[in-house]
Amino acid sequence: AATETDADRRAYAVWVSEIMLQQTQVATVIDYYNRWMQKWPTLQALAQASLEEVNELWAGLGYYSRGKRLQEAARKVVSELAGQMPRTAEDLQKLLPGVGRYTAGAIASISYGQATGVVDGNVIRVLCRLRCIGADSSSPAVIDRLWDMANALVDRSRPGDFNQALMELGATVCVPKAPLCGECPVKQHCRAWRRVEKELAFASQKLFGKLTPVPDVEDCGVGGCPLCPPATEPWDSSLGVTNFPRKAAKKQPRAARTATCVLERRGCHGAPEYLIVQRPSSGLLAGLWEFPSLPLAQDLQEEKQREVLADHLRAWTGWPVVHIFSHIHQTYVVYSLPLDGDVTLDPALSPSRWVTEEEFLASAVSTAMKKV
């Protein structure tokens, strides 16, 4: 960011990287990011692209609405803001669709040097351990306190570097399991680490029959504190600093079943072609292309499945493919149907087209369809 003199290009580049990095690992993002910036180096270039092009480049990154909202926001900047990115975290969050509190803080601090903090998953972990915050880390009381802390801690002269360093500390040292406390540059400020050290010292004193423990003046000791661990889940000595952060129980993904048909025909050059149709413009995998698919009731027997699908095609045989979305455990029951002759497609149905395998892989299709 420091080498780009154009503030709008700088903010756009940081914005793209932050949106891609939401819920996706850095190693996966790098190639996508480089291809994106090569294809659309400016806001203006992205604003002129089609959603189809955006989905094609995004295919495989998941959470496809991120790419769609990024393009919508780029068009808004060009058409309503004269091509100039908002210059503060407050305005970025208020004016750009898909830009939340974290993304706004990251863009403003890295691109514009605004002294504003950021709170992502890595920062939550670091700060919860630094201050022994043991309440549910997703609760409003904890999140508000963490934002207050991040805004108070941020280096006023180098906010972008500080925020990235804090996130990197969580990503490489203060990791979820087996953190490298011995290498941590802020361990002397970390209450969780101090507590572990205190317990080790007490165990040693006890072994030699020495001192009894003295209560820590910093321990809250007051019931009902919105930041302390609940009484039902006290400190577990075996976990050490990984007692923090505490998370709410994860919701199990709902199960879903879909019948998917791979329709194959012989193309004009002899190569097989497959029918793909476009999904609706809203909802899961919005606007992406897929093999013709129908949702199935969970308890539907195979014989009944065929009846449900008989209006479309006959003589299907198949096997299931399992694909895990973040919130759906999706089973695709896959059917294959080679066609001898041509078939007339109903123009009243979803947009559809015949593609070769190479064209299919280059289209805006989900990872699940590639599995199919």
Side-chain angles (χ1 to χ4, degrees):
T3 60
E4 175 54 69
T5 53
D6 184 323
D8 291 307
R9 286 179 77 119
R10 187 166 68 238
Y12 167 65
V14 173
W15 181 20
V16 172
S17 73
E18 291 298 342
I19 297 296
M20 284 189 172
L21 286 165
Q22 288 171 7
Q23 298 146 312
T24 310
Q25 293 182 329
V26 174
T28 304
V29 163
I30 291 171
D31 183 49
Y32 282 91
Y33 177 80
N34 287 333
R35 283 190 287 126
W36 181 287
M37 295 307 295
Q38 193 172 359
K39 191 175 179 77
W40 302 302
T42 64
L43 277 162
Q44 288 73 13
L46 177 59
Q48 290 169 5
S50 68
L51 180 58
E52 178 77 4
E53 289 177 299
V54 169
N55 279 339
E56 281 178 10
L57 200 150
W58 202 275
L61 264 181
Y63 301 92
Y64 292 86
S65 59
R66 292 180 296 167
K68 183 182 178 184
R69 286 202 304 266
L70 186 54
Q71 193 206 25
E72 286 172 356
R75 285 181 169 170
K76 182 177 180 181
V77 173
V78 171
S79 62
E80 298 178 26
L81 305 176
Q84 187 178 69
M85 288 278 289
R87 291 297 196 261
T88 65
E90 296 73 24
D91 284 347
L92 284 159
Q93 189 176 350
K94 185 169 69 179
L95 297 173
L96 301 185
V99 172
R101 195 174 182 182
Y102 162 77
T103 307
I107 296 170
S109 61
I110 297 169
S111 305
Y112 304 131
Q114 184 184 352
T116 183
V118 296
V119 174
D120 74 342
N122 289 312
V123 174
I124 287 172
R125 188 164 55 255
V126 170
L127 296 183
C128 282
R129 289 173 181 172
L130 276 171
R131 289 292 176 264
C132 280
I133 295 174
D136 172 10
S137 61
S138 63
S139 69
V142 171
I143 291 296
D144 285 346
R145 179 59 64 92
L146 294 175
W147 273 100
D148 289 344
M149 288 172 65
N151 286 324
L153 284 169
V154 66
D155 188 309
R156 265 58 194 158
S157 61
R158 294 171 65 188
D161 288 345
F162 180 88
N163 286 337
Q164 290 180 89
L166 190 57
M167 291 186 276
E168 192 71 359
L169 180 66
T172 61
V173 176
C174 195
V175 292
K177 295 176 182 174
L180 308 174
C181 294
E183 299 174 20
C184 181
V186 295
K187 65 183 176 188
Q188 299 300 338
H189 304 285
C190 179
R191 290 183 183 173
W193 181 77
R194 287 215 304 257
R195 180 160 184 172
V196 171
E197 291 295 294
K198 210 173 284 184
E199 282 189 355
L200 290 172
F202 174 61
S204 173
Q205 290 166 353
K206 197 174 175 186
L207 191 65
F208 293 105
K210 291 185 181 175
L211 306 169
T212 53
V214 178
D216 191 332
V217 72
E218 290 179 341
D219 285 346
C220 182
V222 180
C225 170
L227 302 179
C228 286
T232 52
E233 298 174 42
W235 169 275
D236 182 343
S237 294
S238 68
L239 296 176
V241 301
T242 64
N243 273 279
F244 310 104
R246 302 286 175 92
K247 295 179 181 176
K250 201 170 182 181
K251 208 163 81 171
Q252 286 299 308
R254 63 181 173 85
R257 287 173 68 80
T258 296
T260 298
C261 181
V262 181
L263 268 170
E264 180 185 330
R265 74 173 187 186
R266 191 62 51 189
C268 57
H269 299 295
E273 292 182 338
Y274 307 95
L275 181 69
I276 56 174
V277 297
Q278 194 168 29
R279 289 182 62 85
S281 58
S282 60
L284 183 72
L285 307 174
L288 266 65
W289 292 80
E290 65 181 5
F291 298 116
S293 302
L294 285 172
L296 297 172
Q298 272 300 105
D299 54 353
L300 213 58
Q301 298 300 313
E302 186 175 350
E303 190 177 335
K304 189 66 178 170
Q305 285 174 193
R306 290 176 184 238
E307 285 179 33
V308 170
L309 299 164
D311 289 341
H312 297 270
L313 298 159
R314 297 197 180 277
W316 293 18
T317 57
W319 63 96
V321 170
V322 174
H323 185 73
I324 310 291
F325 295 93
S326 62
H327 54 302
I328 306 169
H329 189 111
Q330 171 77 64
T331 300
Y332 291 95
V333 183
V334 183
Y335 296 89
S336 174
L337 179 60
L339 300 174
D340 291 333
D342 204 355
V343 61
T344 304
L345 303 174
D346 186 346
L349 298 173
S350 303
S352 58
R353 55 194 168 107
W354 291 94
V355 291
T356 63
E357 184 176 354
E358 189 179 0
E359 289 167 339
F360 170 81
L361 294 171
S363 298
V365 293
S366 66
T367 303
M369 283 299 116
K370 288 179 181 175
K371 280 187 184 180
V372 169

